[in-house]
Each structure stands twice: as C-alpha cells, then as structure tokens.
C-alpha cells in the first residue's frame, strides 16, 4: 500500500466557505424556504469523491458552524451533517457509479432525512415549522445536484484533489 | 459517528436548557463573522451604489422632505419637553420611582439570513457598544423585538412576531392589559388571553405596558386588525398587526431605560 500525500485541502475548504456564505446570503422573504442546503450538498460530494479526506468529523464541524451562523440550537445541523456524512461514506462506492439523475434521487432521500431530523429537533423545542414549503428545500437541492456535481468534479480534477 | 451524534444531542440539550455553551458559540462566531460580512456585501454594496449614483435632484428632494419632517418633529418635541416636566412633577407628588429618560443607540441591520423558521435579525452593534441581553429594540415607528444574544461586534434580535416571543402590552385607549404573542408570521401578533366580553376594538393601538421589566412602558407595538368572538369559546380570537416595519427595517434603535437609583433612606438596614 503506497502512501499518497493529500492534495487540494484548500479547494475543499474554499468550497465549504462558499457554501457557508450561500447559506446566509439574504434572500427575499417569499423564497427563503426554498434555499437548498448548500453545506449538505457540498459535504455529500466530498464524502463521495474523497472519503479519505472528508468524513463524519468534517461534517460535524461544518454543521456546528452552520448552527452558529443561522443561530439554531448548537448541535442541530452538526448532528444532521454527521449522519449525512456517515451514510454517504457507507454508500459512496455505490453512489459514485450511478448515473447523475439516479444520484440526484439518492441525494433527495439524504436531504429529506436531514429535514426530518430538523423537524424532530424543532418539534422537541416547541418551534414546529408548519408550512408545507418546509419540505421544498430538499427538492431544490435535488434539482441543483447535477450542476453542483459537475462543477465540483471539474474543480477536483483541475486541482487534483485527493 | 455514534460519538458525533451523542455529542450533538448532549449539546442541544445543554444549549436549550442552560447557558454553558454561550462561550463556545461566541468563539465560533468569530470564525463565522467574516463569512457573514461577505454574505451581506451584495445587499450593502447595492445600497451604497444607489446612494452614490442617485441624481442630484433626487437628493435635493429627499433633503427637502427630511427638512420638513425635522421641522414637524421639532414642533412635537417642544410639547414633549413641557409634558415631560409635568410628568416628573406629578411623579414627584406621587413619590413614585423617577424615570429620567431613555438612552438610545442607533444600530444597523446586517443583511444576512438566519434560520427561516425563527424571526430573528442581526444588528451591527454588540457588547462593545454596551448592548446587553434583553435590551428592547425599536424601529422608527414601534417596538421591533429584543436582544437575545450579544457578540462583541454584533447581536441577534428576536422579533416580536417569533412564536417563542410574548410581550406585555396594554390597549392605549383604556389601559386594558394583556400579552401579545408572536405567531411566526411576520406582520401578525395574537392576543390569546382576552375574554369574549373585554373592551377591545379593531383599530385599537397596543403599547408596551412595561410590566415584564424588559420593555420600557409606552412605546407603540401594534394595531388590532381582527376581533372574533366565538360564543362557545372562553377567549376571543384577536389578531394585531405590528406597527414596526419588521421586514423592511434598515436601522433600529436600542433603548436603555435610565432609572434613578433608589434613594437611600437613613435608618433602614
């Protein structure tokens, strides 16, 4: 077994920073519920493409930053992203071989799971999100997945992230 | 994985029930603050551009309008001074605690989005400017909310329409006291604890009653928009519309009530 040095950590960091910025970019009140979970999408990609670099720990830390940024309960997004990272890493060999649209459906399931965990947490602290639009964000994420995948893949190849 | 989930669950419980994690949150907010600054750039630079590129004529018009408004406000202020003096005299007669006045700090909203299911905003003043937790926040028209979290250079404001927020108010017309609860919908407050026969009408102005100790008394809050009496129910269904521009405010005022220290009477332990 040869030890290959890690490369392109900065690129991974930069994509997460961009995702965090997009998470708090102001949007008009009416389309705010439709904001996709940028951090989850980026995390899922890196867990699939570079599972030796990005995993549960990174997911948890990014989730904690999301919690601070959006002022939710500390640990809410951390838990969701850690679970997402875990499932993605378990299945990454399989998901990588799927065609893009099938991948997108898989991503939808992951994002819906995250959203479900969020509802449970928010329900437990008596702040239920009642609107139906609450469930729209995972679908937006699914529609965006092919583009995110292609962009991040090109970035990865260009900078030879491994 | 199991460890991460366990730690997260533990943190959520502690964060919900205790205040031990505030230091962790403020440490991490130092990391996050620059990102929030970048996220707010498009909105703030848009405002800067529209101000810089606006025509001379528009600026003159705006200037004129502001001058007129200033004159009008000054006129009202003249009366206020006399009224305040009278109020002080009357309070002296009643021997009640002396209210010196409210100190006001102006802050600007930082254009970033927080959790869409909580009604919160971030302002650009924090502990370094003397902001404290629980401080009342107003906009130009009415009460907006209260400070719930203070970082060194920014703080988070919970708006009065958040479902977890309740505000002691009274009806300006007759002094009827009640509590206005947030509904989670911007532009709607609910008054759930008023019986069917209470004296309240559509159009009544609600002002803060000052009973909770958080908000100074006498600031406008909302206007009643709907009163429905259901004969079978013990309480009336009453809705109100906040007078503050909750979704359009750019600048807010942080109020600190100055009260004279209680007079020390001799002989009492």
């Amino acid at each position: 077994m040869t030890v290959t040095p890690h490369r392109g950590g900065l690129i991974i960091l930069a994509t997460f920073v961009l995702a965090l910025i997009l998470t708090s970019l102001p949007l008009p009140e009416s389309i705010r519920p439709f904001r996709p979970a940028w951090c989850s999408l980026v995390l899922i990609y890196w867990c699939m493409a570079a599972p030796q670099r990005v995993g549960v720990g990174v997911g948890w830390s990014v989730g904690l930053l999301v919690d601070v940024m959006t002022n939710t309960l500390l640990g809410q997004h951390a838990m969701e992203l850690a679970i997402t990272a875990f499932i993605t890493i378990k299945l990454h060999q399989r998901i990588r071989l799927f065609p893009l649209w099938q991948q997108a459906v898989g991503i939808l399931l992951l994002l819906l799971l995250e959203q479900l965990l969020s509802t449970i947490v928010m329900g437990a602290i008596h702040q239920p999100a009642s609107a139906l639009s609450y469930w729209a964000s995972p679908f937006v994420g699914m529609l965006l997945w092919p583009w995110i995948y292609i962009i991040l893949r090109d970035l990865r190849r260009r900078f030879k992230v491994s | 994985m199991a460890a991460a989930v366990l730690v997260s669950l533990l943190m959520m419980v502690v964060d919900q029930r205790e205040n031990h994690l505030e230091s962790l949150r403020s440490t991490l907010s130092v990391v996050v603050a620059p990102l929030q600054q970048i996220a707010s750039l498009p909105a703030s630079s848009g405002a800067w551009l529209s101000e810089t590129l606006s025509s001379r004529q528009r600026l003159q018009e705006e200037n004129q309008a502001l001058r007129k408004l200033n004159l009008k406000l000054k006129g009202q202020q003249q009366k206020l001074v006399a009224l305040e003096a009278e109020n002080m005299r009357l309070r002296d007669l009643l021997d009640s605690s002396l209210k010196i006045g409210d100190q006001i700090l102006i802050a600007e909203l930082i254009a970033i989005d927080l959790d869409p299911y909580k009604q919160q905003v971030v302002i650009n003043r924090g502990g370094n400017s003397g902001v404290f937790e629980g401080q009342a926040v107003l906009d130009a028209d009415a009460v907006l909310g209260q400070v719930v979290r203070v970082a060194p250079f920014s703080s988070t404001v919970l708006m009065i329409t958040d479902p977890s927020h309740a505000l002691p108010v009274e009806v300006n017309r007759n002094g009827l006291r009640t509590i206005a609860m947030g509904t989670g919908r911007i532009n709607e407050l609910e008054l759930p604890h008023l019986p069917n026969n209470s004296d309240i009408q559509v159009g009544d102005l609600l002002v803060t009653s000052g009973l909770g100790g958080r908000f100074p008394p006498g600031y406008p809050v909302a206007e009643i928009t709907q009163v429905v009496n259901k004969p079978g129910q013990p309480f009336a269904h009453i809705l109100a519309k906040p007078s503050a521009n909750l979704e359009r405010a750019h600048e807010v005022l942080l109020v600190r009530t100055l009260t004279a220290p209680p007079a020390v009477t001799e002989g009492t332990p």
Side-chain angles (χ1 to χ4, degrees):
Chain A
M1 194 176 154
T2 53
V3 179
T4 47
H6 289 326
R7 292 188 47 163
L10 272 179
I11 291 299
I12 298 179
L13 188 70
T15 51
F16 276 119
V17 165
L18 191 65
L20 278 169
I21 290 173
L22 285 172
T23 304
S24 69
L25 197 72
L27 289 180
E29 192 71 31
S30 49
I31 57 170
R32 271 176 74 183
F34 299 97
R35 181 201 302 274
W38 294 108
C39 288
S40 313
L41 290 168
V42 172
L43 179 74
I44 292 171
Y45 177 80
W46 287 121
C47 282
M48 253 168 58
Q52 71 281 13
R53 304 283 314 262
V54 176
V56 174
V58 174
W60 190 81
S61 326
V62 172
L64 205 59
L65 288 181
V66 175
D67 282 328
V68 175
M69 200 143 187
T70 58
N71 212 356
T72 41
L73 215 51
L74 268 189
Q76 181 181 332
H77 286 98
M79 180 180 74
E80 290 166 25
L81 289 188
I83 291 176
T84 309
F86 178 74
I87 298 174
T88 318
I89 286 197
K90 279 279 158 200
L91 299 177
H92 77 272
Q93 307 243 1
R94 221 180 296 174
I95 305 180
R96 272 206 278 213
L97 298 176
F98 285 167
L100 262 183
W101 68 269
Q102 265 183 27
Q103 264 182 21
V105 174
I107 303 306
L108 172 70
L109 291 180
L110 276 174
L111 295 178
L112 278 175
L113 175 71
E114 271 186 23
Q115 209 73 346
L116 182 70
L117 287 171
S118 262
T119 2
I120 294 172
V121 171
M122 280 155 74
I125 57 169
H126 309 296
Q127 281 184 339
S130 50
L132 201 61
S133 60
Y134 177 75
W135 298 99
S137 143
F139 291 92
V140 179
M142 176 184 79
L143 294 179
L144 282 176
W145 174 253
W147 284 274
I148 291 174
Y149 181 83
I150 291 169
I151 291 169
L152 289 179
R153 186 192 59 194
D154 288 354
L155 266 180
R156 179 173 61 88
R157 289 189 180 157
R158 176 133 201 211
F159 295 96
K160 299 191 178 62
V161 180
S162 64
Chain B
M1 154 71 192
V5 171
L6 274 182
V7 171
S8 319
L9 285 174
L10 200 69
M11 277 170 71
M12 279 190 266
V13 172
V14 174
D15 194 30
Q16 170 74 357
R17 301 189 186 276
E18 320 272 341
N19 280 329
H20 302 317
L21 288 178
E22 281 311 304
S23 57
L24 174 65
R25 199 186 272 274
S26 57
T27 315
L28 285 177
S29 75
V30 174
V31 181
V32 165
L35 303 183
Q36 290 184 326
Q37 287 291 339
I38 297 172
S40 75
L41 264 183
S44 55
S45 59
W48 179 81
L49 269 180
S50 81
E51 199 163 293
T52 316
L53 300 180
S54 63
S55 68
R56 183 184 146 89
Q57 194 196 350
R58 225 198 75 202
L59 283 177
Q60 277 175 338
E61 277 168 12
E62 201 179 301
N63 198 345
Q64 215 161 25
L66 286 176
R67 249 178 237 270
K68 271 184 196 157
L69 186 68
N70 194 15
L71 201 65
K72 205 173 105 191
L73 290 177
K74 267 189 178 161
Q76 286 172 2
Q77 175 99 25
Q78 290 172 8
K79 217 160 51 179
L80 187 73
V81 172
L83 281 176
E84 212 164 53
E86 186 184 340
N87 193 337
M88 292 276 209
R89 270 202 311 280
L90 291 173
R91 269 174 197 279
D92 258 356
L93 285 177
L94 287 171
D95 212 16
S96 67
S97 77
L98 198 61
K99 192 181 123 195
I100 296 177
D102 294 336
Q103 197 185 38
I104 279 180
L105 179 74
I106 296 178
E108 261 177 56
L109 255 60
I110 300 178
I112 50 169
D113 275 358
L114 302 176
D115 187 9
Y117 304 101
K118 284 186 195 167
Q119 314 267 331
Q120 291 178 330
V121 288
V122 179
I123 54 174
N124 69 348
R125 299 288 186 134
N128 284 19
S129 315
V131 178
F132 56 91
E133 217 168 280
Q135 190 166 17
V137 181
L138 318 173
D139 80 345
D141 298 317
V143 174
L144 192 100
Q146 60 175 302
V147 176
V148 286
R149 195 158 279 137
V150 182
F153 297 101
S154 68
S155 35
T156 311
V157 176
L158 187 69
M159 303 219 268
I160 52 174
T161 48
D162 187 273
S164 64
H165 195 272
L167 172 70
V169 293
E170 62 185 28
V171 177
N172 198 29
R173 181 168 53 87
N174 54 12
L176 178 71
R177 286 189 305 274
T178 183
I179 289 176
M181 316 265 266
T183 55
R185 288 179 292 277
I186 208 154
N187 276 339
E188 199 168 89
L189 288 171
E190 197 180 5
L191 278 63
H193 306 303
L194 280 178
N196 268 326
N197 58 355
S198 50
D199 178 15
I200 192 162
Q201 303 163 359
V202 170
D204 276 349
L205 179 71
L206 298 173
V207 299
T208 49
S209 66
L211 278 184
R214 283 268 162 111
F215 290 88
Y219 283 104
V221 176
E223 203 172 275
I224 303 288
T225 52
Q226 191 190 351
V227 179
V228 179
N229 290 317
K230 289 189 192 134
Q233 304 281 327
F235 296 111
H237 181 66
I238 302 173
L239 296 178
K241 180 180 178 299
S243 312
N245 286 323
L246 292 181
E247 65 225 298
R248 275 172 287 135
H250 283 301
E251 273 154 351
V252 296
L253 310 170
L254 292 152
V255 188
R256 155 184 260 167
T257 311
L258 302 172
T259 42
V264 184
T265 42
E266 278 174 47
T268 49

